[in-house]
Amino acid sequence: MNEEKYLICISGPSGAGKGTVVKALLEKHPEITISVSATTRQPRPGEVDHVHYHFITREAFEDNIQNQRMLEYNQYCGNYYGTLRPEVEKSILNHQVMILEIDVNGVENVKKVYPGALTVFILPPSMEELERRLSGRGTETQQVISQRLARAKEEMALADAYDVQIVNRDVDACVDELYSIIQERLK
Ligand code: 5GP
């Protein structure tokens, strides 16, 4: 399907600045959309239904699975999380670029359905910088930081499987690089 090129999967370890890059990309290029995932977990304070997630019941989520309405899904800490297929289909059929900010497993599953989706991995400039960013949040203990770093190393080992790798040295430069890669893809 030619429309698959409108689908962009973005992954990267915690601390690589992926969320910041995606947010800046959407602000600078409002024609680009992002998929809102569905989840069965409770909203956190400040989270808005249909903006941060579609907050749905377990029953509704399982009904979506049964009826092939989940493009991909996973369980995390006892809750379901997943991408709604109708939302993605609607966007790409309208030739509107849609970003999926999902992990490695999610990307593998999306590729089974849409092999032509572009996959992008956002990397930190170095492990030292990643460590600095993770510690800089100041909210986690040294033990949690070490766990996150170990997990980040595991995830980064999978970067080669992505179509494109972008090093996030500077958010604006990273956004511009990502945008030109997307534009090139659409030609
Ligand atoms: P949180 O509860 O912190 O918002 O998310 C928990 C985990 O679920 C994170 O690792 C997040 O990346 C993952 N997640 C969020 N949405 C999706 C989704 O649509 N699909 C998959 N596979 N994972 C998701």
Side-chain angles (χ1 to χ4, degrees):
M1 195 195 353
N2 190 37
E3 281 76 24
E4 291 176 14
K5 65 183 180 189
Y6 292 95
L7 192 55
I8 321 287
C9 300
I10 301 184
S11 303
S14 167
K18 170 187 45 156
T20 312
V21 168
V22 170
K23 191 164 171 272
L25 176 78
L26 298 175
E27 275 167 13
K28 197 163 180 186
H29 304 285
E31 74 281 9
I32 298 179
T33 52
I34 186 160
S35 156
V36 177
S37 298
T39 183
T40 58
R41 87 150 157 73
Q42 292 299 307
R44 295 187 186 124
E47 282 184 335
V48 180
D49 194 15
H50 309 304
V51 174
H52 297 98
Y53 281 106
H54 300 291
F55 294 100
I56 62 175
T57 62
R58 179 162 277 269
E59 205 176 26
F61 202 106
E62 287 175 348
D63 188 59
N64 281 332
I65 298 172
Q66 289 287 318
N67 291 293
Q68 279 83 47
R69 284 195 294 266
M70 299 314 300
L71 174 57
E72 62 79 35
Y73 69 95
N74 214 341
Q75 292 216 47
Y76 179 89
C77 297
N79 281 303
Y80 282 118
Y81 292 82
T83 308
L84 290 160
R85 188 193 286 259
E87 202 159 295
V88 172
E89 275 175 2
K90 188 171 158 226
S91 185
I92 64 174
L93 287 174
N94 284 325
H95 293 184
Q96 190 173 33
V97 174
M98 176 162 260
I99 306 280
L100 302 187
E101 204 188 316
I102 52 178
D103 67 1
V104 177
N105 296 326
V107 171
E108 253 176 46
N109 291 326
V110 170
K111 277 282 202 178
K112 285 181 199 152
V113 184
Y114 296 119
L118 176 73
T119 59
V120 179
F121 199 92
I122 309 269
L123 288 157
S126 64
M127 282 317 283
E128 289 74 30
E129 177 61 16
L130 184 79
E131 192 161 0
R132 205 185 58 76
R133 289 181 189 172
L134 287 176
S135 320
R137 287 177 177 169
T139 47
E140 278 110 12
T141 62
Q142 195 53 49
Q143 195 195 352
V144 172
I145 293 168
S146 305
Q147 281 170 0
R148 282 178 177 257
L149 257 180
R151 173 92 186 108
K153 280 183 190 160
E154 279 170 31
E155 285 175 22
M156 281 165 63
L158 303 166
D160 286 350
Y162 285 68
D163 297 320
V164 186
Q165 296 84 26
I166 303 180
V167 179
N168 181 19
R169 288 193 182 83
D170 169 85
V171 174
D172 287 335
C174 193
V175 166
D176 292 344
E177 191 178 347
L178 182 54
Y179 187 68
S180 55
I181 289 166
I182 295 171
Q183 293 306 105
E184 195 57 38
R185 181 76 167 184
L186 297 183
K187 277 183 187 162

